[in-house]
Amino acid sequence: MACIDSLPDEIVHHILLYVSPEETLSTVALLSKRFNRVAQEPLLWRSYCQTSFKYWDASHNFKERLVGNVHDTDWKRLFLVRLGHNACIARLVDGIIASRVCRLQKTEQICQYGYDAKDYLLSQCRVPDSMEDVLARSIHRSLAIEEWAKYQKYAARRIDEDTPNSERLNCGMRLERALGAFDMFMLHDNMGDLDEITELLDDIATRFRNTHSNLDQMATRQKALSLARWLHSNNMTGLSDPTERTYRYLRNCLIGRALRDEHHPSLPIISAAIYSAIASRLGMEAYPCALPSHVHATVLSPPGVSLDGRPLPEEQSRHQENMFLDPYGSDEEVPLDYISNFLARLGIHTGHENMLNPTATDLIVMRTAQNIRASFTSFRTNERPLSQLIPMIELNRGDWARNLQPALYSMIWASIMMVPVLPENDEVRWDWQQDVRDLLTYFYEYFPEDSWLVEKYVCPMYDTFAAPSRRQNDWELPSKRVRDQIREIQRVDGSAKPPRRRSELAEQFQVKYRVGQVFKHKRYEYHGLILGWTVEGASTWDENPLTPTNRPWSTLSQPFYRCMVGTDGSDHHVISEENIEVVELRGGPEVLPPEIKDLMPMAGKFFKRWDGERGVFVSNLRESFPED
C-alpha cells in the first residue's frame, strides 16, 4: 500500500493547500527534511496569503506581487508579517474592550494598519453589536480621507498646457475612487471597499465587451451610444421610479451603493460617473459634465479624428470633437442645441463654451457633497412620520440611524479636502475655515477617535489657509488652538477615571436604574440605552473637556443618566431619572424595540452583548461602573 512518502512533491504540495498554514508551520514542516522543504515552497505560501487574507494594505503592493515572478517575493515572510499584524491588532482590540483608558490612542494604532486591520476586524464581526464595528468605521474613514488627500498632492504640482486631459481632469484621483470615498464613511462593518468599486466597474466593462465582439472596430460615437443603450437596458444607471420623494434618498448619492444594489439607483451625477468610468475602460475618453441642475456625460474623440472615425483636416490634428449623453434619463445622444436651449431656459445666455467642457474630479466630489447635504436637509425638514422618513437615509436594513452623522461628516471632510493648497482669494479661505469649524464640532461630538486624522490632514492645511489675523504671534501656528484641543482630548483619554460605586453613595442618594437597561422616555416616547449615571448634577457628566458644561439643569436634584437613544444614534444624551421608564424584556434580540435593534452596531462601544435572560445589555464599562 502506497504511503505519503511515495507521492511526488507536486501531490504533497496540493494536499498542503487544504492544510491550515498554522498547522503547516507547527507540524508538517517538522515531520522530515523532505516535508520541511516542501513546506517552504513559495507557491504554497502565495496561496496561503491569497486564501487567508482578503484585504491587503496598499503598502504591500499585493496585486503587483501576484502577477510578478513568484520567486521575487518571500511569501512565507509576508504571511508571517500579516499574522504578526493580526496579533498586535487583537491585543489592541482586547485593550480597548477591557479598559476605557487610552482608547483613542489604541484606535489610532489600529487604524495605522489600514486594510490589514480591516481584514482582521471583519473576521471578528460575527454579531452586529461588536466593538470591531466602531474600529472598522474609523479605518474606512481614514482610507477615504487618504484618497481625497491625493488631490492636495496634485494641486501642489505645476500643471502646464501639455498636461494630458485625463491627468488634468482627474486631479490626481480616479473618479470612481474619489466618489467611493463617500461610501467608506457609511460602510461600517459591511464587506466592500474602494478596490471592490473598481472591480465592479471592471466586471461591467468586461460584460459589455463580451456582448460586443466588434467593439474595437467601432468609431467613438458608435461605441458611446452602444454603451449608453446597454447600460440603460440593463438598468445600470438612473432611478427605476423617480419621484420628488425618492430622488433625495441618500443611497442615490453613493456610487458604491449604486453598483452593488440590484436596482442600481443613482442621481444624474453618479450615473454620469459610472458611464464615464466604464467608457474609459473601453478605450474612450469620457468625463462628467456638470451643468446647472443636471449632470451629463461628455465623450471626446481621439485628437485629429472625428467622432465618426474620419480624419480631421491637418490644421485640426490636435482637435477633439465631443458629444453629450444623459445616462440618467436617456440612451440616446443629447444634441448640442438641446443643451443650449436648456441653459437658456435657466437664464444663461452666454459662456456656454466653458460650461460644456468636461468637469474636473474635484468639482464632481464637491457637487456630490452638496447632494448629500441636500438629502440630509430633506430628511431633517420633512414633517412626515419617522417610519416614512427612514427610507430616505436607509442604506442597508437596520442601520439607518448610523447614516445620519457619517453622511454629513463625509460632506464636511470632502469640502475641506477638495480645496487647493493655495486658495486664490480670502472668500475661499473664509469658507474653508467655516468648514473646519463644522468639522471640529462633529469630530468633538461624534468622532473623537478621528483626532489623529484631524491632526494629520487638517492642521497642516489650517496653517496654510488661516488668515494672518488668526495668528496670535509670529511664531505661533494658526492650528495651535486645534492641536491644543486634541492634546487635551488625548490627555483625558489617557487618564484613569475613578469608578462610580452605588455602595459609596450617601444615604439620600438612590440611583434607581442600571447601565445596560432599555428604557422609554416618558415624555417623548423614544427608546434608548442607559450608558452611565451621576448624582452630582448633569453638568458634571461630560467627559469631553470641550463640551459645554454650563447646563441649565446642573443643580443637584435627582440622578441623571447618560444615554444612547434611537432618534439619532448619539451617545451624548443626558436624561433625568424622572423621565425614564425602564422596559422589561426577556428573550433574544428579536424582543427588542426596532429603535434598539438599530442601535446595536453602535452599542459595541459600551456593551458586549444582549443578555436575554436578565433583560439587559452586558456592559464593558465595569471599570467605570463596577457594581452595575
Side-chain angles (χ1 to χ4, degrees), residues 448-569:
E449 63 269 25
D450 288 354
S451 60
W452 68 282
L453 292 173
V454 174
E455 189 167 22
K456 179 178 179 179
Y457 294 107
V458 178
C459 288
M461 296 175 68
Y462 197 81
D463 294 334
T464 300
F465 287 13
S469 60
R470 302 288 296 179
R471 191 184 294 262
Q472 301 299 320
N473 302 287
D474 292 339
W475 48 267
E476 183 180 288
L477 292 173
S479 65
K480 181 180 182 300
R481 181 177 60 87
V482 179
R483 295 179 190 273
D484 287 346
Q485 291 171 338
I486 291 174
R487 295 286 88 76
E488 180 62 14
I489 288 177
Q490 293 170 341
R491 184 195 65 78
V492 173
D493 174 60
S495 303
K497 303 171 183 65
R500 294 178 180 173
R501 302 178 186 273
R502 295 170 179 268
S503 59
E504 296 176 356
L505 296 177
E507 291 185 6
Q508 68 266 32
F509 297 122
Q510 294 293 328
V511 179
K512 190 182 299 184
Y513 307 122
R514 295 182 177 272
V515 173
Q517 287 185 306
V518 178
F519 72 89
K520 182 178 181 180
H521 196 285
K522 290 182 180 179
R523 181 175 180 183
Y524 299 112
E525 298 188 345
Y526 57 72
H527 289 88
L529 300 174
I530 295 176
L531 307 180
W533 49 263
T534 180
V535 296
E536 300 168 358
S539 67
T540 65
W541 179 263
D542 296 310
E543 297 176 2
N544 187 336
L546 304 171
T547 303
T549 58
N550 52 336
R551 308 278 189 183
W553 55 82
S554 60
T555 55
L556 176 61
S557 58
Q558 59 181 311
F560 285 84
Y561 297 83
R562 178 181 175 184
C563 306
M564 175 183 284
V565 305
T567 56
D568 59 6

Side-chain angles (χ1 to χ4, degrees), residues 62-267:
F62 187 68
K63 290 185 177 180
E64 291 78 4
R65 292 174 185 267
L66 286 177
V67 299
N69 189 310
V70 68
H71 295 286
D72 290 343
T73 298
D74 187 340
W75 292 100
K76 180 181 177 182
R77 180 181 178 279
L78 185 60
F79 180 89
L80 293 175
V81 167
R82 284 299 307 270
L83 214 58
H85 287 179
N86 282 4
C88 293
I89 295 165
R91 287 194 295 271
L92 290 168
V93 171
D94 290 343
I96 289 173
I97 294 174
S99 173
R100 302 193 70 186
V101 178
C102 294
R103 274 188 167 182
L104 299 184
Q105 178 185 343
K106 294 184 179 77
T107 298
E108 176 184 348
Q109 292 173 0
I110 290 173
C111 290
Q112 299 290 356
Y113 286 103
Y115 271 8
D116 287 2
K118 175 178 178 175
D119 210 4
Y120 172 79
L121 294 174
L122 286 177
S123 71
Q124 304 301 305
C125 288
R126 301 307 182 201
V127 292
D129 51 334
S130 62
M131 181 65 203
E132 285 81 0
D133 173 75
V134 177
L135 298 172
R137 278 183 280 153
S138 187
I139 291 172
H140 293 154
R141 291 194 296 271
S142 69
L143 295 171
I145 296 166
E146 181 181 341
E147 192 68 30
W148 286 334
K150 294 177 181 178
Y151 175 63
Q152 298 297 320
K153 297 178 182 178
Y154 165 84
R157 295 170 48 200
R158 181 179 180 85
I159 307 300
D160 54 39
E161 294 181 357
D162 295 328
T163 302
N165 269 342
S166 57
E167 183 178 340
R168 180 168 49 84
L169 292 168
N170 288 334
C171 304
M173 304 174 284
R174 291 188 67 172
L175 176 62
E176 70 266 17
R177 294 178 71 89
L179 294 178
F182 288 105
D183 288 79
M184 299 295 282
F185 278 78
M186 289 159 272
L187 193 59
H188 308 302
D189 63 344
N190 303 323
M191 305 296 284
D193 62 0
L194 295 175
D195 289 339
E196 185 194 35
I197 292 174
T198 298
E199 291 165 3
L200 288 169
L201 290 167
D202 289 342
D203 178 65
I204 294 172
T206 301
R207 287 161 53 194
F208 172 78
R209 184 178 285 279
N210 290 340
T211 60
H212 294 75
S213 56
N214 63 333
L215 184 67
D216 293 333
Q217 285 73 51
M218 293 182 184
T220 301
R221 190 189 304 276
Q222 189 178 1
K223 281 185 186 178
L225 290 173
S226 297
L227 177 59
R229 291 163 184 163
W230 186 84
L231 291 175
H232 205 263
S233 64
N234 286 277
N235 196 33
M236 292 284 186
T237 53
L239 297 174
S240 301
D241 183 27
T243 65
E244 184 177 351
R245 177 185 299 182
T246 61
Y247 186 85
R248 283 301 173 198
Y249 281 8
L250 176 60
R251 58 175 172 264
N252 302 338
C253 303
L254 304 175
I255 190 171
R257 169 72 187 201
L259 292 170
R260 295 186 194 97
D261 193 289
E262 60 179 343
H263 301 295
H264 307 292
S266 61
L267 293 179

Side-chain angles (χ1 to χ4, degrees), residues 270-463:
I270 302 300
S271 293
I274 290 173
Y275 179 92
S276 301
I278 297 172
S280 68
R281 286 161 166 78
L282 300 172
M284 290 180 276
E285 189 174 349
Y287 308 96
C289 180
L291 300 175
S293 79
H294 199 77
V295 179
H296 291 72
T298 181
V299 179
L300 281 62
S301 68
V305 181
S306 73
L307 288 165
D308 297 312
R310 294 188 298 271
L312 296 176
E314 186 175 347
E315 62 272 16
Q316 296 182 0
S317 60
R318 300 183 64 180
H319 177 69
Q320 292 178 276
E321 292 186 347
N322 65 328
M323 62 183 292
F324 295 91
L325 301 110
D326 179 12
Y328 171 80
S330 171
D331 58 1
E332 297 295 336
E333 182 176 356
V334 179
L336 186 58
D337 288 345
Y338 175 86
I339 293 180
S340 298
N341 291 334
F342 169 76
L343 294 174
R345 289 197 301 271
L346 294 176
I348 304 171
H349 301 285
T350 59
H352 290 186
E353 294 77 11
N354 291 333
M355 286 189 175
L356 298 179
N357 288 330
T359 304
T361 296
D362 62 318
L363 299 179
I364 294 298
V365 171
M366 289 293 289
R367 186 144 168 177
T368 302
Q370 293 168 5
N371 286 329
I372 290 175
R373 181 190 286 275
S375 296
F376 186 90
T377 302
S378 179
F379 173 82
R380 284 299 196 192
T381 58
N382 203 304
E383 296 181 355
R384 284 180 289 145
L386 180 62
S387 59
Q388 297 180 25
L389 295 179
I390 290 177
M392 298 181 68
I393 54 168
E394 192 173 37
L395 300 183
N396 295 296
R397 184 177 180 182
D399 71 351
W400 70 269
R402 291 190 290 166
N403 300 331
L404 278 174
Q405 303 307 334
L408 197 56
Y409 193 50
S410 72
M411 182 275 298
I412 298 172
W413 265 107
S415 300
I416 290 172
M417 300 302 293
M418 289 298 109
V419 174
V421 172
L422 296 176
E424 297 178 356
N425 55 60
D426 289 339
E427 184 178 348
V428 174
R429 291 176 185 266
W430 190 93
D431 289 342
W432 189 88
Q433 290 178 105
Q434 182 60 47
D435 289 333
V436 169
R437 285 191 284 272
D438 292 341
L439 175 71
L440 295 179
T441 298
Y442 268 77
F443 150 61
Y444 296 147
E445 187 75 12
Y446 301 106
F447 306 100
E449 63 269 25
D450 288 354
S451 60
W452 68 282
L453 292 173
V454 174
E455 189 167 22
K456 179 178 179 179
Y457 294 107
V458 178
C459 288
M461 296 175 68
Y462 197 81
D463 294 334

